[in-house]
Amino acid sequence: MQTGKVYLIGAGPGDPELMTLKAVRALGEADIVLVDDLVNRAVLAHVRPGARIIEVGKRGGCQSTPQAFIHLQMIQAAHAGHCVARLKGGDPFMFGRGGEEIEALRAAGIAVEVVSGVTAGIAAPATLGIPVTHRDWAPGVTFVTGHTRDGNSVNWAALAAARTTLVIYMGVKNLPEIVAQLLAAGMPATTPAAAVQSGTLGMQREVKATLTTLQAAMHAADIGSPAILVIGAVASLAAIDTFTEAAVKAA
Ligand code: SAH
């Protein structure tokens, strides 16, 4: 029997219309679809009837399928000649463990095709009109996780000095520590900041604040994970009212 292949597919940030045409085609080809939990279930409408859908969610702290088991499932299915679609939120190579999966699949001799997706770190700010780069405001953008394996491998001081826009994934829990480190590195307290929860979805929530007011603003607006945090001058372009501490006291 011929070995099957695996598509590593980005489903986009949430809005089903933000999935690529290529992703739609690949999903339609698959015999088996492994889905992460940040993927909007609406995109499964593109899976062909009769294909098997397996949920392999892995939200921080909750029950999730061990990564090694996901690798094994894909490898076994491909060796059995099946076409596998591995569907991930946003882009598969942006904090999505796509890197680990392509390594495991290649080591097993399986053909992999990567289908890029629209990442939440660009799409969520964009819903508010925040461009992650801007010729006048930010010479670049840094996509960074707020949640690292060992807890402190991000050099926040270096990022503060670089003056690029900071787009932080998985940063809600460690926000106080991140803010403290950026302030200690000399980033101005008044640096514009924004947070977007469930960006591009109907239930999206957002807030605009500053480096030092962001956490209180998120609390006041009841914003939690999954959220994208944007820190940098471009956040001032967010088309929503700026949060002030007075607003919280008045509430
Ligand atoms: N591969 C994904 C990111 C996976 S990491 C991508 O490219 O978008 C998971 C984190 O992404 C979440 O904790 C959150 O920080 C962010 N995220 C994913 N979808 C989001 C959305 N619709 N709105 C806001 N943040 C989102």
Side-chain angles (χ1 to χ4, degrees):
M1 190 185 292
Q2 235 194 325
T3 302
K5 74 181 287 188
V6 175
Y7 286 108
L8 270 182
I9 305 173
D15 178 349
E17 288 193 326
L18 286 173
M19 196 165 81
T20 66
L21 295 175
K22 194 162 187 164
V24 169
R25 178 178 59 72
L27 262 188
E29 276 179 35
D31 306 305
I32 297 178
V33 182
L34 283 92
V35 196
D36 268 1
D37 57 5
L38 271 181
V39 173
N40 186 343
R41 274 17 189 191
V43 306
L44 297 178
H46 303 294
V47 174
R48 69 168 176 77
R52 205 171 139 213
I53 296 173
I54 306 172
E55 310 262 346
V56 289
K58 31 174 57 280
R59 285 293 280 281
C62 304
Q63 275 265 314
S64 63
T65 314
Q67 192 65 28
F69 185 68
I70 297 174
H71 295 172
L72 193 66
Q73 273 186 311
M74 291 194 285
I75 291 166
Q76 284 177 343
H79 277 150
H82 296 303
C83 175
V84 179
R86 174 73 176 108
L87 197 55
K88 294 169 170 292
D91 181 90
F93 281 175
M94 186 70 97
F95 303 121
R97 304 199 189 194
E100 293 164 44
E101 295 183 9
I102 200 166
E103 281 179 304
L105 292 163
R106 281 182 173 162
I110 291 159
V112 186
E113 189 175 336
V114 181
V115 181
S116 297
V118 176
T119 190
I122 294 177
T127 63
L128 307 182
I130 300 177
V132 293
T133 72
H134 189 298
R135 278 211 295 184
D136 302 331
W137 303 81
V141 53
T142 302
F143 298 105
V144 62
T145 176
H147 178 90
T148 52
R149 267 188 180 169
D150 64 2
N152 58 7
S153 60
V154 176
N155 186 339
W156 294 102
L159 295 185
R163 295 173 176 275
T164 62
T165 303
L166 297 184
V167 172
I168 306 171
Y169 294 68
M170 298 169 278
V172 175
K173 196 162 143 248
N174 291 336
L175 182 59
E177 175 64 19
I178 293 167
V179 169
Q181 293 206 31
L182 292 172
L183 287 170
M187 185 181 276
T190 52
T191 303
V196 186
Q197 178 184 353
S198 302
T200 79
L201 289 162
M203 57 190 172
Q204 172 169 330
R205 304 169 84 97
E206 65 262 331
V207 76
K208 178 178 168 187
T210 66
L211 181 60
T212 44
T213 59
L214 184 61
Q215 208 201 355
M218 288 174 67
H219 188 72
D222 198 18
I223 291 178
S225 195
I228 288 291
L229 312 178
V230 185
I231 298 173
V234 291
S236 67
L237 296 173
I240 46 174
D241 290 339
T242 301
F243 168 88
T244 60
E245 306 220 48
V248 167
K249 288 189 187 120

